[in-house]
Amino acid sequence: MSASAVFLMLLAMVVVWGGLILSVLAVRAHPERTDFPPGGEDDLREDDAPLEHDT
């Protein structure tokens, strides 16, 4: 392999693995959202539930 091919391969590896490492660190810093906007409660009605359509 030529020197330019090796350089581009190493550059691509640094970009891919660097992105993976940065994304893992970002998830570790902010693992899960704890505050959600109000609303969106579950509908626990069995008999009078909203219609569900197959799309």
Side-chain angles (χ1 to χ4, degrees):
M1 288 178 33
S2 66
S4 62
V6 172
F7 174 73
L8 286 177
M9 180 184 69
L10 291 174
L11 180 66
M13 290 171 62
V14 166
V15 168
V16 170
W17 288 102
L20 176 66
I21 291 170
L22 285 176
S23 64
V24 167
L25 292 176
V27 168
R28 286 182 64 194
H30 306 287
E32 193 170 318
R33 185 171 178 176
T34 57
D35 58 333
F36 291 100
E41 290 90 18
D42 289 336
D43 186 10
L44 302 175
R45 296 177 291 180
E46 297 271 339
D47 297 330
D48 195 22
L51 293 177
E52 294 181 13
H53 299 284
D54 292 333
T55 55

